[in-house]
């Protein structure tokens, strides 16, 4: 039983990485990503929020990235996830938010990650990037 759970968790992490990077690179809409997220179990949503928060922190988000990302997310700037991401330094703990705020948290995190990741791709990876997640084929876009 632990093996299946571990395999399921790895599969969800791989799928999360793919979906989030597709949204960040404009290969999938944020609404499509949020619909994918909404279809997950409550435990799956919490796991994804932890994972995406990690991506955002790895991208070295700034408070300015937070403000731009929140504006793109469609989430009110006064919502808990928006306030948390715009703090300096940004707060974590999105998976601990009430379940009714998880979709908002996902939208904010993915949007802020997209801003920071785009900035970093332009500054550090321009023309030389070997990161698989920065080189997604455009053919993977879903209708």
């Amino acid at each position: 039983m632990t093996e299946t759970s571990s395999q399921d968790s790895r599969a969800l992490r791989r799928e999360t990485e793919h979906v989030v990077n597709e949204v960040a690179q404009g290969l999938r809409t944020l609404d499509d990503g949020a619909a994918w997220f909404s279809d997950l179990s409550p435990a799956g949503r919490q796991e994804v929020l932890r994972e995406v928060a990690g991506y955002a922190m790895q991208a070295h988000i700034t408070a300015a990235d937070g403000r731009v990302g929140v504006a793109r997310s469609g989430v009110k700037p006064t919502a808990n996830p928006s306030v948390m991401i715009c703090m300096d330094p940004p707060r974590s703990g999105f998976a601990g938010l009430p379940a009714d705020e998880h979709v908002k948290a996902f939208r904010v995190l993915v949007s802020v990650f997209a801003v920071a990741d785009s900035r970093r791709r332009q500054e550090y990876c321009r023309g030389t990037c070997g990161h698989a997640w920065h080189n997604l084929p455009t053919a993977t876009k879903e209708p």
Side-chain angles (χ1 to χ4, degrees):
M1 189 154 147
T2 304
E3 182 64 29
T4 302
S5 176
S6 178
Q7 286 177 349
D8 290 346
S9 184
R10 280 193 300 272
L12 181 57
R13 281 194 306 275
R14 281 193 305 274
E15 188 174 7
T16 299
E17 179 181 311
H18 193 77
V19 169
V20 169
N21 279 289
E22 282 185 340
V23 172
Q25 294 174 40
L27 301 174
R28 182 187 293 234
T29 68
L30 181 57
D31 288 341
D32 288 343
W36 167 82
F37 178 79
S38 295
D39 286 342
L40 297 173
S41 70
R45 286 192 292 264
Q46 287 181 310
E47 187 174 339
V48 166
L49 288 175
R50 282 189 287 276
E51 191 77 13
V52 179
Y55 298 167
M57 297 309 162
Q58 274 188 312
H60 302 284
I61 60 172
T62 65
D65 294 335
R67 290 186 295 275
V68 172
V70 166
R72 291 183 183 179
S73 73
V75 176
K76 290 181 181 181
T78 55
N80 285 331
S82 300
V83 172
M84 291 168 66
I85 205 75
C86 290
M87 293 179 132
D88 193 15
R91 298 295 185 260
S92 58
F94 294 91
L97 288 168
D100 65 339
E101 294 202 48
H102 285 177
V103 172
K104 291 179 205 171
F106 178 82
R107 292 181 69 89
V108 165
L109 284 168
V110 171
S111 296
V112 173
F113 168 73
V115 170
D117 193 54
S118 292
R119 175 180 42 80
R120 291 182 59 81
R121 277 197 317 272
Q122 288 181 6
E123 290 176 5
Y124 302 109
C125 291
R126 186 177 291 179
T128 62
C129 184
H131 297 120
W133 59 90
H134 284 165
N135 295 294
L136 296 176
T138 56
T140 61
K141 184 175 181 179
E142 294 180 9

